[in-house]
Amino acid sequence: QKEVEQNSGPLSVPEGAIASLNCTYSDRGSQSFFWYRQYSGKSPELIMFIYSNGDKEDGRFTAQLNKASQYVSLLIRDSQPSDSATYLCAVIPTADGLTFGKGTHLIIQP
Amino acid sequence: DAGVIQSPRHEVTEMGQEVTLRCKPISGHDYLFWYRQTMMRGLELLIYFNNNVPIDDSGMPEDRFSAKMPNASFSTLKIQPSEPRDSAVYFCASNQARAYNEQFFGPGTRLTVL
């Protein structure tokens, strides 16, 4: 069974610090990796996607991928209270459907 | 664009009743996905369609669940008969053919089966 694992948290980070969110996946053939943010009671929204090994930066967000270790992470710099949400890691193992982790609940403390 | 539209937003029903959830994808999107989210199991893919054709329904939990997409702008997810363990938030999502696979989610339907 193809799985995506995340620490459920909560992960508490002081405002202005770097929040680091981690995810591992079981299907070595996975090619596409996504980070979604979900506020309580709302639907998931895409933050970042990454296909290649290494880092990808977009504003305060950096996605990191290491296919050899089957590991993907999301860094949030200069964390803001508005970043408090659940962050879902998602992987496309084969065709088109996404396999989601259960998410990490992030709390940014003012 | 109005985004993905789902109805109803909330549904409360009694065990044994039929439940129908509806979704209108974003115009021009070729793929439509149905997900279920619970605290215990997280976000699970139930079924997805490409150009109105069901491609993978391996996530559909039981024969009580069925989904249709009669045209490019409408899909339904039906549960018959419903059970309390079906209580969850059901999301519909759509995207264009393998652009970079960003999926746009609807607001979800919160289903409670008593």
Side-chain angles (χ1 to χ4, degrees):
Chain A
Q1 180 174 351
K2 301 177 176 61
E3 294 182 347
V4 178
E5 299 289 339
Q6 295 181 255
N7 188 323
S8 62
L11 174 65
S12 185
V13 175
E15 183 176 357
I18 296 176
S20 178
L21 305 166
N22 305 314
C23 169
T24 59
Y25 58 95
S26 63
D27 185 352
R28 186 171 290 278
S30 300
Q31 296 295 319
S32 306
F33 307 87
F34 304 82
W35 283 100
Y36 280 78
R37 178 177 62 200
Q38 186 175 25
Y39 293 113
S40 179
K42 302 296 185 182
S43 56
E45 56 180 337
L46 183 68
I47 300 175
M48 297 273 304
F49 63 91
I50 186 167
Y51 298 149
S52 304
N53 278 330
D55 295 358
K56 179 181 179 182
E57 186 174 321
D58 184 1
R60 297 186 298 112
F61 298 95
T62 299
Q64 300 175 317
L65 175 61
N66 184 325
K67 290 186 177 181
S69 300
Q70 296 176 234
Y71 176 92
V72 59
S73 65
L74 179 70
L75 301 178
I76 307 175
R77 291 181 299 280
D78 188 22
S79 298
Q80 303 296 310
S82 60
D83 294 327
S84 298
T86 296
Y87 289 80
L88 304 171
C89 174
V91 173
I92 296 182
T94 51
D96 302 291
L98 285 173
T99 299
F100 282 86
K102 292 185 179 180
T104 298
H105 183 204
L106 175 65
I107 299 172
I108 306 300
Q109 294 180 325
Chain B
D1 196 321
V4 176
I5 299 173
Q6 291 187 247
S7 65
R9 295 293 307 276
H10 301 274
E11 176 81 27
V12 180
T13 190
E14 293 187 347
M15 183 174 61
Q17 296 298 305
E18 178 180 296
V19 175
T20 299
L21 311 181
R22 298 172 177 81
C23 175
K24 176 180 170 55
I26 294 172
S27 177
H29 282 190
D30 305 278
Y31 285 79
L32 183 140
F33 304 82
W34 282 101
Y35 291 92
R36 176 174 68 174
Q37 188 173 39
T38 62
M39 289 293 294
M40 288 294 295
R41 299 175 67 87
L43 194 61
E44 303 173 279
L45 176 64
L46 300 177
I47 184 172
Y48 73 92
F49 297 81
N50 179 22
N51 292 322
N52 313 337
V53 176
I55 302 301
D56 185 354
D57 65 355
S58 60
M60 298 285 263
E62 300 172 31
D63 291 344
R64 299 185 295 106
F65 286 70
S66 62
K68 294 182 180 179
M69 192 167 186
N71 57 63
S73 59
F74 183 67
S75 177
T76 60
L77 177 67
K78 184 176 294 185
I79 308 173
Q80 166 63 17
S82 59
E83 296 183 3
R85 60 190 167 129
D86 302 331
S87 297
V89 180
Y90 290 81
F91 288 104
C92 176
S94 70
N95 74 346
Q96 291 180 315
R98 302 191 67 82
Y100 45 87
N101 294 110
E102 176 181 5
Q103 294 188 11
F104 295 85
F105 282 76
T109 295
R110 181 173 295 277
L111 173 65
T112 302
V113 182
L114 303 176

